[in-house]
Amino acid sequence: VLQTEEEAQEVARTLHGVDMRPRDERGDGRPCREEDRFWARPFEEVPEDLLRALGLEPSTPKAPQGLPDEHCIVVRGFPVSWGAPQVRCTFMAFGGVDSLRFVREGPDSRVCLVQLKETEKMGKVAEQLNDTWVGDGDIIEECRLSCVHNLGAAERQRLAELAAAREAEDKRRREAEAARIVAEA
């Protein structure tokens, strides 16, 4: 389990460029071609000419709409060839996936709702993976992910209750301090 953003970035740097050819092809003495390597680069590091060649522009992620109101990372932008193994592989550097499910968003599109094993990290992970290129272009089809952290009703309620409890405790401390000052006077 990764503890810091730096560790996650180190994993991404380690994975980027790894030869993804089958073992028998790696041992045949031929050098690895660029298209045989795993890609794990932040979107902003992808060369502009490659973006233009793919017809892509940086975009703002869509807010979840019409999806179940649950605490998850809403993942868009993956190709139809992707299933649960590719999504799990993408999130393994961030502590792993606890659960995931695919949801139809339209007639020709789907999103993946991902819950991490460490739910407290989901906001940061969504931010880090949003607009990031992943995949190797061979075994794992290359794509640019869009990730949005969706709190969900239960998590919003939990956070509101936690904030109310903190506020009540602060008020109790202030009143106790005021009473102590009055008593000393």
Side-chain angles (χ1 to χ4, degrees):
V1 176
L2 302 174
Q3 300 298 317
T4 66
E5 181 179 339
E6 290 76 24
E7 289 175 344
Q9 289 173 345
E10 181 59 31
V11 168
R13 280 192 292 275
T14 301
L15 288 175
H16 182 69
V18 169
D19 186 344
M20 295 294 290
R21 295 178 295 168
R23 188 181 313 252
D24 59 327
E25 289 182 25
R26 285 188 299 237
D28 68 5
R30 289 184 299 126
C32 183
R33 299 173 305 174
E34 188 63 28
E35 58 266 20
D36 293 330
R37 297 186 183 281
F38 186 85
W39 278 50
R41 292 195 291 188
F43 181 70
E44 54 274 357
E45 291 180 17
V46 177
E48 286 185 25
D49 58 334
L50 177 57
L51 287 176
R52 281 192 212 94
L54 295 171
L56 298 173
E57 293 292 328
S59 64
T60 305
K62 294 186 208 173
Q65 296 176 358
L67 297 173
D69 193 14
E70 60 190 63
H71 189 202
C72 62
I73 298 173
V74 180
V75 183
R76 290 181 175 88
F78 52 87
V80 295
S81 65
W82 275 39
Q86 289 81 5
V87 174
R88 287 185 184 282
C89 182
T90 300
F91 285 91
M92 74 179 176
F94 300 99
V97 172
D98 183 49
S99 66
L100 66 84
R101 67 189 172 107
F102 293 95
V103 176
R104 282 252 165 248
E105 192 172 44
D108 298 324
S109 66
R110 61 188 178 139
V111 299
C112 188
L113 308 180
V114 176
Q115 186 162 47
L116 299 180
K117 291 179 181 175
E118 299 177 55
T119 57
E120 68 279 1
K121 293 184 176 182
M122 292 201 313
K124 189 68 172 173
V125 171
E127 184 181 310
Q128 287 180 287
L129 277 178
N130 186 50
D131 279 341
T132 301
W133 280 92
V134 296
D136 64 0
D138 186 29
I139 295 170
I140 299 176
E141 191 172 345
E142 183 182 23
C143 63
R144 179 179 55 127
L145 296 180
S146 168
C147 297
V148 176
H149 180 217
N150 184 40
L151 281 175
E155 184 67 5
R156 282 191 302 274
Q157 177 67 30
R158 185 188 74 77
L159 292 174
E161 289 170 0
L162 186 60
R166 282 189 196 131
E167 189 174 316
E169 179 62 22
D170 288 345
K171 181 179 179 182
R172 188 197 60 74
R173 275 194 219 121
R174 286 190 307 271
E175 288 171 352
E177 181 65 18
R180 186 187 61 77
I181 291 171
V182 168
E184 290 176 358

